[in-house]
């Protein structure tokens, strides 16, 4: 499983090149929130390599590559307010 370490305020997740990585956006609002994922500040584009699952709660990256490293963020918006998470992915291997 990926290891999580903190650098300042942003957790760092270590992924192995060629493996699978699943990132979770903490979201427990009822009704469920609208969740958006960003990579390096830009809206994440889904493709066969990167897929958003469970109405946005998870981001799954298949066959991790060096280009998948960097800062990710998710934002969950609901009637109760916004929740956001930032994390950094480092790819090794």
């Amino acid at each position: 499983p990926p290891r999580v370490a903190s650098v300042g305020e942003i957790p760092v997740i270590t992924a192995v090149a060629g493996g699978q990585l699943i990132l979770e956006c903490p979201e427990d609002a009822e009704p469920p929130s609208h969740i958006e994922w960003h990579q390096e500040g830009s809206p994440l584009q889904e493709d066969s390599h990167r897929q958003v699952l469970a109405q946005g709660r998870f981001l799954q990256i298949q066959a991790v590559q060096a280009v998948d490293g960097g800062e990710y963020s998710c934002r969950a918006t609901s009637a109760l307010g916004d929740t956001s998470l930032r994390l950094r992915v480092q790819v090794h291997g």
Side-chain angles (χ1 to χ4, degrees):
R3 289 179 323 191
V4 177
S6 287
V7 174
E9 298 276 321
I10 303 176
V12 175
I13 295 179
T14 301
V16 177
Q20 175 181 281
L21 179 64
I22 296 179
L23 306 178
E24 181 178 0
C25 191
E27 185 280 316
D28 54 8
E30 290 293 335
S33 304
H34 171 71
I35 301 176
E36 294 178 351
W37 282 92
H38 291 78
Q39 181 182 16
E40 297 293 345
S42 298
L44 185 89
Q45 300 298 317
E46 280 189 82
D47 53 29
S48 59
H49 175 66
R50 296 184 292 194
Q51 295 179 313
V52 175
L53 308 173
Q55 288 80 51
R57 182 150 187 195
F58 299 99
L59 171 62
Q60 177 178 277
I61 303 174
Q62 305 273 12
V64 173
Q65 304 166 30
V67 296
D68 295 315
E71 187 172 299
Y72 288 80
S73 61
C74 70
R75 179 181 209 132
T77 306
S78 73
L80 303 176
D82 288 3
T83 302
S84 61
L85 171 76
R86 288 170 58 202
L87 50 85
R88 183 167 291 281
V89 172
Q90 291 182 340
V91 179
H92 295 281

